Amino acid sequence: MVQLARRDVLRLLAAAGAAGIAAPALAACGSNSSSAGSSAPIRVGMLVPRTGANKAIGEDLTNGFKLYLALNGNKLAGHPVNLTIADEGDGGDVAKNALDKLIKQDGAQVLTGIASAATMSALRDQIEAAQVPLLGTNGSPLNLSSPKYIWRTCYVDNEPGESLGEYVAENVKGNQKVFVISDDSPSARDEVNGFVGAYQDTPDQFELADDPLVVPLYSAPKTSLSSAMSKIRESGASAVFAYFADAGAAEFIKAFHSEVHDVTLYCPGFMTETVLLQQQGGSADGVFTSLNYSPDLDNDANQLFAAQYRKSYGKDPSTYAMASYDAGAVLTSALGLAGNDLSPQSINAAIAQIGEIDSPRGTWQFNQNRTPLQTWYLRQVRPDGAVLSNVLLSDLATLT
């Protein structure tokens, strides 16, 4: 794992041009002016779960993008927005057919959304063949085979674990050990490898309690968590790094709270986001997480975003809502550079030329892999008034 001063890396990338494409100029986020003053409509296709296990994430993705539009007069760089929302469902043919309709029937010039990393992988070739840029707005797989038309405004699935790995190693002292456990979901390998690689890359080279334990929750034969809790207790570990997706996150944290004591739990931040935190209740109290966003970040962009999100939707914004909101900011900058040429290919080239995004998460910029170069934050689930919340503790790292 390489950590650099965040501003230094952003300046280096700005000089080189994101994604290896030379940029004659860098556009600031928030500009509503097209270089040619065009007001032609832009057709945006949004693919998010409106049914299925990730419906709540889909609602946050929709809310975040719609809030950006509402705050900008339903325009992106002066272009009125025609937004079509299609159902990702639980992936598979539902997502493929919905994407095909967005591109071929609805004529989307740019796409945004996708909640599932598995769906992102399944649609990769379809998107590349259509040559319509996608701004993916949730965690996505590390290996997408060098896409040209897929960009990510949230994060790559190894990064939450990687950002925690060195921190945990530095805070597990003496002869204490760390136990690593995950389910068998598509993102599990990326998450675990990110943590283990960073953890073992520390100068003291701490050892793990055991090899990472995989608990089959998504493929047969499925396994109860009870035996996993016994193995954690028997290992003598003082800390656990865990990755469990979807409903498995709530199931794991409840089991851990009930059966394991005096052991610190570290997780990717999505495991205590939104409805999952509500489902976990008091079981999540004290859990440490890493994420690229917290609603209590103190910057101007977040003060606007978080306040308006609460006003519009009656709840705190999630990382999903923030990343979708930022997709609007990316498009504003890109369309300002594209001018009158609103072809998907022109928009894709313009995305590669944008500079820094002034985001609620803090300033970020696309790196060479078309993903955000951004700060990661350490959070802990703690009481905030009468409810448990993800409370911001400190910066963790900027990964490159």
Side-chain angles (χ1 to χ4, degrees), residues 371-386:
T371 62
L373 177 67
Q374 61 189 328
T375 298
W376 285 85
Y377 301 100
L378 181 67
R379 314 181 311 172
Q380 187 180 32
V381 179
R382 294 179 176 179
D384 183 11

Side-chain angles (χ1 to χ4, degrees), residues 121-136:
S121 294
L123 299 185
R124 186 261 182 205
D125 291 345
Q126 192 175 349
I127 294 166
E128 293 294 308
Q131 297 186 7
V132 177
L134 165 73
L135 294 170

Side-chain angles (χ1 to χ4, degrees), residues 184-265:
D184 56 337
S185 58
S187 299
R189 184 181 298 274
D190 284 346
E191 295 281 359
V192 169
N193 287 347
F195 176 84
V196 172
Y199 180 83
Q200 294 182 331
D201 196 35
T202 57
D204 293 327
Q205 296 184 344
F206 295 98
E207 294 184 1
L208 301 176
D210 296 289
D211 290 334
L213 176 64
V214 177
V215 180
L217 294 181
Y218 291 89
S219 61
K222 296 184 178 181
T223 301
S224 167
L225 285 168
S226 296
S227 62
M229 297 304 116
S230 296
K231 291 180 180 179
I232 292 173
R233 293 193 302 269
E234 294 165 1
S235 72
S238 61
V240 169
F241 172 79
Y243 171 86
F244 284 81
D246 305 327
E251 184 181 352
F252 172 82
I253 287 179
K254 287 180 179 179
F256 185 90
H257 176 79
S258 175
E259 301 183 41
V260 179
H261 306 289
D262 299 320
V263 177
T264 306
L265 179 58

